[in-house]
């Protein structure tokens, strides 16, 4: 384990934290009302929007978790990088962003659940969406905490529990006080730092391996070193896609690539970003910053994760999984600490702290508003209480506690799978309803509610009873029916998103066509100025 120069590390981290807290204070000073706290005053600069969106999207789960998954599965994961750019940036901003921003302004919505609830004139939709986010997003937050804490643990040699608590306290301090303005300001700084760090990481990696062509050729030549257990699952080498239809192919394509690549469209903490700018021009400008940012973040993480095998084989005669003791979440931290210069390790620790803090701050803000504003104020109290910000801060505190507990108890190699689970659940529960809300005037409240319930229940049921990766360890199917999964064969490796989301979409269409549309006046208000 590398021993870092304590003085350099201490000074660097101190300067970084001073800037973060200054930006948090700036956000606090500029937060005057509920719109400022919830949607940053609807006047955020395109550059800040793009980096905040990207930094929120790309967390330690992408760099550490998915980078580690690439270390095990190979460069086939680069298909996810392509999906992230096409779907997560271009389609999200250009196709969904403009309509979301306009409808959010028309309805004076300040959260994603509120946008859906007001579009369909349903407190139930807003309350159910809020509690769903409050219950399941801590899973995603917990694994982001794990990613940041694991790198600090590996780099500094300190106790994992201590690293976890330090990270949590720092993020909580500026999220609770400064709202979304503070979150987006700090995101922009952290996103810039992440871009620089990943660019340097890519260059150093190729230097260590003798050049671009040499590095990829060395990795290609290692195909015979794939462990037998992975070969049986369909692994064909780190520069090749897994064999079509095999368990590893289904895991890579349906869970990691499609689960995250499509699920990004219905991420509450990302959708709300579209409501923070004043016009479509800002959204379009943000694409030109967001696209390269996502390419650098995901493309580098997945490439370096796979290439770490070539480095460890040259230096230790071992593949990455063996060096990390079978824990894919440790592959990237081990590679950074082993292959990179000491000063870069300090920089990259800040990059991962930035990645973790930017995503965590947005997640805490989203969970707090979901519980405090959407569920408690709007659904339970029917909008009657006025202290929305105070209740939201309590919601943030509660979800922080839940995510820390999960970060202690979740198993190893959990970052990438848990991310895919949450993204897939959001896609099934929210995406059909969200698409109908902003694109289809004929979609009814009954269709939206049915879609949300079918998507949620079918996704969770598939996880609990069919998808072997979760169903087997959960043991619910075993306890109730005496077998690990209700279905067998290929079904057990098909991700829930491929079953639950189409079911929810079909439900939305059928029920909407079978029920009466909403009042014309309400629809005109929702779609005002939306072409």
């Amino acid at each position: 384990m590398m021993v870092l120069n304590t003085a350099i590390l201490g000074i660097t981290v101190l300067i970084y934290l001073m800037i973060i807290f200054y930006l948090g204070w700036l956000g606090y000073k500029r937060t005057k009302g509920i719109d400022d706290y919830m949607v940053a005053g609807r006047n955020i600069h395109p550059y800040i929007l793009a980096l905040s969106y990207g930094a929120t999207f790309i967390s330690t789960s992408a760099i550490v978790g998915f980078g580690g998954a690439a270390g095990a599965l190979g460069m086939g994961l680069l298909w996810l990088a392509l999906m992230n750019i096409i779907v997560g940036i271009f389609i999200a901003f250009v196709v969904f962003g403009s309509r979301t921003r306009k409808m959010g302004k028309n309805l004076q919505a300040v959260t994603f659940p509120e946008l859906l609830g007001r579009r369909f004139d349903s407190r139930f939709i807003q309350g159910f969406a809020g509690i769903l986010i409050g219950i399941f997003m801590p899973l995603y937050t917990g694994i982001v905490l794990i990613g940041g804490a694991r790198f600090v643990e590996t780099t500094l040699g300190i106790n994992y529990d201590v690293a976890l608590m330090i990270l949590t306290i720092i993020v909580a301090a500026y999220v609770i006080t400064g709202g979304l303005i503070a979150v987006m300001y700090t995101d922009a700084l952290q996103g810039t730092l992440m871009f620089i760090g990943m660019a340097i990481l890519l260059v150093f990696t190729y230097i260590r391996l003798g050049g671009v062509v040499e590095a990829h050729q060395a990795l290609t030549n290692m195909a015979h070193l794939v462990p037998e257990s992975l070969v049986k699952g369909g692994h064909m080498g780190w520069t090749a896609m897994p064999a079509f239809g095999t368990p590893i192919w289904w895991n890579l394509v349906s869970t990691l690539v499609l689960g995250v690549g499509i699920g990004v469209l219905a991420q509450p903490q990302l959708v709300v970003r579209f409501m923070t700018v004043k016009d479509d021009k800002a959204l379009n400008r943000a694409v030109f910053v967001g696209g390269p940012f996502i390419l650098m973040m995901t493309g580098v993480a997945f490439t370096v994760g796979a290439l770490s095998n070539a480095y460890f084989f040259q230096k230790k005669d071992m593949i990455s999984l063996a060096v990390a003791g079978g824990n894919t979440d440790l592959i990237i931290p081990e590679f950074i600490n082993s292959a990179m210069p000491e000063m870069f390790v300090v920089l990259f620790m800040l990059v991962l702290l930035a990645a973790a803090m930017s995503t965590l701050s947005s997640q805490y803000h989203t969970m707090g508003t979901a519980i405090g504003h959407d569920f408690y104020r709007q659904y339970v109290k029917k909008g009657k209480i006025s202290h929305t910000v105070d209740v939201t801060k309590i919601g943030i505190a509660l979800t922080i506690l839940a995510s820390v507990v999960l970060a202690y108890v979740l198993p190893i190699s959990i970052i990438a799978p848990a991310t895919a689970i949450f993204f897939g659940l959001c896609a099934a529960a929210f995406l059909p309803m969200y698409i109908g809300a902003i694109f289809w005037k004929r979609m009814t409240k009954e269709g939206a509610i049915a879609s949300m319930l079918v998507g949620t229940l079918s996704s969770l049921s598939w996880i609990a009873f069919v998808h072997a990766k979760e169903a087997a360890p959960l043991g619910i199917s075993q306890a109730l029916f005496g077998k690990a999964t209700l279905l067998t064969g290929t079904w057990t490796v098909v991700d829930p998103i491929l079953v639950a989301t189409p079911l929810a979409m079909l439900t939305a269409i059928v029920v909407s066509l079978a029920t009466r549309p909403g009042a014309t006046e309400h629809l005109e208000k929702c779609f005002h100025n939306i072409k």
Side-chain angles (χ1 to χ4, degrees), residues 160-210:
Y160 169 76
D161 297 344
V162 174
L164 190 65
M165 291 310 300
I166 291 173
L167 187 61
T168 303
I169 291 169
I170 292 172
V171 178
Y174 68 83
V175 179
I176 292 177
T177 56
L180 196 58
I181 294 179
V183 168
M184 295 187 76
Y185 282 178
T186 53
D187 280 354
L189 169 68
Q190 290 158 342
T192 303
L193 183 61
M194 288 161 64
F195 188 94
I196 295 170
M198 295 300 279
I200 296 173
L201 173 62
L202 184 65
V203 172
F204 270 124
T205 299
Y206 283 127
I207 290 175
R208 286 284 186 267
L209 293 172

Side-chain angles (χ1 to χ4, degrees), residues 259-281:
V260 177
I262 295 174
V264 63
L265 289 174
Q267 286 295 293
Q269 73 276 19
L270 298 181
V271 173
V272 74
R273 294 292 188 281
F274 302 140
M275 295 189 273
T276 64
V277 292
K278 64 180 180 179
D279 54 33
D280 290 350
K281 186 181 293 185

Side-chain angles (χ1 to χ4, degrees), residues 126-127 130-131 368-385 387 391-392:
Q126 184 172 353
I131 200 64
T369 57
I371 293 175
H373 180 74
D374 296 312
F375 178 70
Y376 185 73
R377 180 177 187 266
Q378 295 295 337
Y379 181 66
V380 176
K381 292 295 184 178
K382 310 297 183 186
K384 293 179 182 178
I385 63 172
H387 304 293
V391 177
T392 295

Side-chain angles (χ1 to χ4, degrees), residues 203-282:
V203 172
F204 270 124
T205 299
Y206 283 127
I207 290 175
R208 286 284 186 267
L209 293 172
V212 177
V213 175
E214 292 79 2
H216 288 263
Q217 188 60 55
L219 189 62
T220 300
N221 295 340
M222 291 175 59
H224 66 285
L225 297 173
V226 176
E228 184 62 27
S229 59
L230 293 179
V231 172
K232 290 179 179 178
H235 202 307
M236 299 180 69
W238 289 278
T239 57
M241 282 290 289
F244 178 78
T246 59
I248 291 180
W249 185 90
W250 278 106
N251 178 47
L252 177 65
V253 174
S254 73
T255 299
L256 300 182
V257 175
L258 295 180
V260 177
I262 295 174
V264 63
L265 289 174
Q267 286 295 293
Q269 73 276 19
L270 298 181
V271 173
V272 74
R273 294 292 188 281
F274 302 140
M275 295 189 273
T276 64
V277 292
K278 64 180 180 179
D279 54 33
D280 290 350
K281 186 181 293 185

Side-chain angles (χ1 to χ4, degrees), residues 119-120 125 440-451 506-519 523:
R119 159 64 175 88
F120 295 110
I125 288 177
W440 191 30
K441 290 184 179 180
R442 183 64 180 78
M443 187 166 181
T444 65
K445 175 170 71 174
E446 293 80 7
I449 291 174
S451 169
L506 182 62
T507 300
I509 295 171
V510 171
V511 175
S512 291
L513 293 176
T515 51
R516 299 179 65 178
L523 289 174

